[in-house]
């Protein structure tokens, strides 16, 4: 979109906000503007003799993945992922997630277009941490997590970014398919629906892409990545369940605090056992960069709750356009109604394998 459109979108957001939110929307508008204005077409990067061979290879791979997404998955063919932005930071933004001290229910923030979500994003880590300190001072559990990529839902042409361009091919394909899927269907205020849909597209897309372009080494590497992610998510789901039982119980607040502390110590210990089983692989160490809290586990299941339902719907519709049409029809329903339909679609057959869930806070990308 043009600078005029960017400024107009930012102005609309500012008009809808309270005075206390002006600085937040200001940093969001500035961060998005800088991300877009600093981007250059892939062709320019490839034609530039100063472009390093490793980056050149990754850009060519991304272009091939985008072409597959459009031709085979029927995802939007627009300006997204035709440009590249080289950021001077490890993440494009940082999300702040917060919960009460003895609850796993995350706080929500509501925004124009996106609706209500369980996080608040900042393009500056310092600003994210400053807001996190405010929330902690109010007694909340808080996590600040780096985010490698996000979708603007088609409002802008999302660029490839240095924060994820060096992912292995299959993981890069997974990310691009996921983010483009958000441009196809998005129900404001329903993260479970939105993320499960995009994850279903991602999973089916990567399966087909690997079948077409993968080699044995690539497939093996992606299978290891997927297995580690499954192990890690199973660990988090187990401890989330323990905490849910604790908070729902009749123990005193003091006893709940003490048991909560013991559970988080046990979680860290069990993670060390998991690492040893992986041969010392440390890709998920970043999850433990801050002291563990409820906020770390608040959004588990958001990405995968309805994935089996969407995969079943894709099999039923038998083509991507028909699938997207059916999902758009679901998105037009009231939230409770669409969840009821998806719950019926997801009903597992007898002896079906358990689907392991993951978190909203970019956990899938921690394992890089």
């Amino acid at each position: 979109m043009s600078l005029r459109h960017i400024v107009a979108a930012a102005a609309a957001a500012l008009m809808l906000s309270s005075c206390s939110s002006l600085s937040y929307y200001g940093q969001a508008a500035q961060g998005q503007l800088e991300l877009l204005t600093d981007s250059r077409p892939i062709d320019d990067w490839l034609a530039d003799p100063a472009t390093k061979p490793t980056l050149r290879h990754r850009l060519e791979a991304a272009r091939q993945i985008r072409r597959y997404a459009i031709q085979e998955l029927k995802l939007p063919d627009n300006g997204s992922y035709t440009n590249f932005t080289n950021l001077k930071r490890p993440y494009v933004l940082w999300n702040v997630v917060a919960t009460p001290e003895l609850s796993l229910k995350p706080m929500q923030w509501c925004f124009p277009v996106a609706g209500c979500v369980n996080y608040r994003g900042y393009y500056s880590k310092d600003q994210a941490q400053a807001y996190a300190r405010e929330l902690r001072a109010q007694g909340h559990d808080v996590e600040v997590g780096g985010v490698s990529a996000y979708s603007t839902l088609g409002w802008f042409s999302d660029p490839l970014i240095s924060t994820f361009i060096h992912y292995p091919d299959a993981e890069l394909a997974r990310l691009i398919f996921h983010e483009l899927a958000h441009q196809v269907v998005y129900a404001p205020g329903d993260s479970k629906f939105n993320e499960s849909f995009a994850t279903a597209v991602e999973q089916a897309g990567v399966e087909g892409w690997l079948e077409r372009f993968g080699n044995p080494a690539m497939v093996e590497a992606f299978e290891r990545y997927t297995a580690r992610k499954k192990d890690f998510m199973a660990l988090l789901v187990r401890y989330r369940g323990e905490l849910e039982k604790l908070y729902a119980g009749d123990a005193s607040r003091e006893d709940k605090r003490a048991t909560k502390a013991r559970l988080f110590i046990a979680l860290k210990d069990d993670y060390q056992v998991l690492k040893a089983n992986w041969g010392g692989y440390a890709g998920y160490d970043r999850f433990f960069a801050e002291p563990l809290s409820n906020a770390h586990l608040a959004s588990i299941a958001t990405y995968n709750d309805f994935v089996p339902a969407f995969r079943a719907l894709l099999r039923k519709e038998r083509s991507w356009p028909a699938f997207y049409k059916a999902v758009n029809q679901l998105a037009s329903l009231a939230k409770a109604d669409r969840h009821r339909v998806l719950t019926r679609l997801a009903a597992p057959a007898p002896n079906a394998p358990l689907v392991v869930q993951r978190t909203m806070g970019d956990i899938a990308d921690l394992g890089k």
Side-chain angles (χ1 to χ4, degrees), residues 104-305:
L104 289 164
K105 184 177 181 180
M107 294 178 60
Q108 284 199 326
W109 292 268
C110 299
F111 306 104
V113 182
C116 297
V117 294
N118 299 337
Y119 55 87
R120 183 159 154 150
Y122 288 85
Y123 286 87
S124 162
K125 184 178 181 180
D126 289 342
Q127 290 181 1
Q129 290 179 328
Y131 185 57
R133 286 193 293 270
E134 291 181 24
L135 293 173
R136 290 190 181 105
Q138 297 169 18
H140 297 293
D141 278 15
V142 184
E143 180 205 10
V144 177
V147 177
S148 300
Y150 64 91
S151 172
T152 58
L153 310 179
W155 282 68
F156 308 116
S157 294
D158 298 325
L160 299 164
I161 312 175
S162 53
T163 53
F164 64 82
I165 193 63
H166 292 289
Y167 286 3
D169 284 6
E171 296 171 38
L172 181 62
R174 177 194 65 74
L175 185 147
I176 290 175
F177 299 160
H178 185 104
E179 301 303 340
L180 283 176
H182 282 311
Q183 297 185 19
V184 177
V185 182
Y186 187 85
D190 194 349
S191 294
K192 185 182 293 189
F193 175 87
N194 297 323
E195 298 301 342
S196 293
F197 162 69
T199 299
V201 174
E202 155 201 325
Q203 289 181 355
V206 170
E207 289 167 9
W209 184 86
L210 280 172
E211 186 175 339
R212 174 84 65 86
F213 299 105
N215 56 51
M218 186 185 300
V219 172
E220 181 183 358
F222 191 69
E223 287 176 348
R224 286 198 305 269
Y225 159 78
T226 303
R228 288 193 296 261
K229 181 175 70 176
K230 180 178 179 180
D231 289 345
F232 188 61
M233 291 305 105
L235 178 68
L236 299 188
V237 167
R238 177 158 60 89
Y239 276 93
R240 178 187 168 98
E242 292 293 324
L243 287 165
E244 285 176 330
K245 287 190 293 185
L246 171 68
Y247 299 148
D250 297 327
S252 67
R253 292 184 65 85
E254 291 75 15
D255 287 344
K256 287 182 178 180
R257 290 190 185 104
T259 304
K260 170 187 174 183
R262 288 195 295 271
L263 284 171
F264 278 126
I265 291 172
L267 170 56
K268 292 180 69 174
D269 291 343
D270 282 353
Y271 171 64
Q272 294 304 316
V273 174
L274 201 57
K275 277 181 62 176
N277 293 337
W278 293 338
Y281 176 79
Y284 288 100
D285 282 5
R286 286 182 287 142
F287 184 79
F288 302 90
E290 295 183 342
L292 290 179
S293 71
N294 294 329
H296 284 73
L297 304 178
S299 299
I300 286 178
T302 298
Y303 273 59
N304 267 27
D305 262 5

Side-chain angles (χ1 to χ4, degrees), residues 75-114:
L75 288 167
D77 183 6
N78 51 34
S80 291
Y81 306 122
T82 60
N83 290 354
F84 172 70
T85 303
N86 188 22
L87 294 180
K88 306 302 182 185
R89 56 182 188 264
Y91 299 105
V92 62
L93 53 80
W94 285 261
N95 277 346
V96 178
V97 179
T99 71
E101 179 192 13
L102 297 175
S103 171
L104 289 164
K105 184 177 181 180
M107 294 178 60
Q108 284 199 326
W109 292 268
C110 299
F111 306 104
V113 182

Side-chain angles (χ1 to χ4, degrees), residues 284-357:
Y284 288 100
D285 282 5
R286 286 182 287 142
F287 184 79
F288 302 90
E290 295 183 342
L292 290 179
S293 71
N294 294 329
H296 284 73
L297 304 178
S299 299
I300 286 178
T302 298
Y303 273 59
N304 267 27
D305 262 5
F306 290 138
V307 170
F310 285 115
R311 294 299 299 262
L313 186 59
L314 177 58
R315 289 191 296 270
K316 175 178 178 292
E317 298 298 337
R318 304 179 66 180
S319 76
W320 289 103
F323 172 61
Y324 297 147
K325 181 179 179 180
V327 176
N328 266 298
Q329 290 172 345
L330 284 174
S332 68
L333 300 175
K335 183 176 181 179
D337 293 335
R338 78 172 72 104
H339 283 204
R340 276 194 290 270
V341 173
L342 289 167
T343 299
R344 289 198 299 268
L345 280 168
N351 302 319
L354 173 68
V355 175
V356 177
Q357 301 154 333

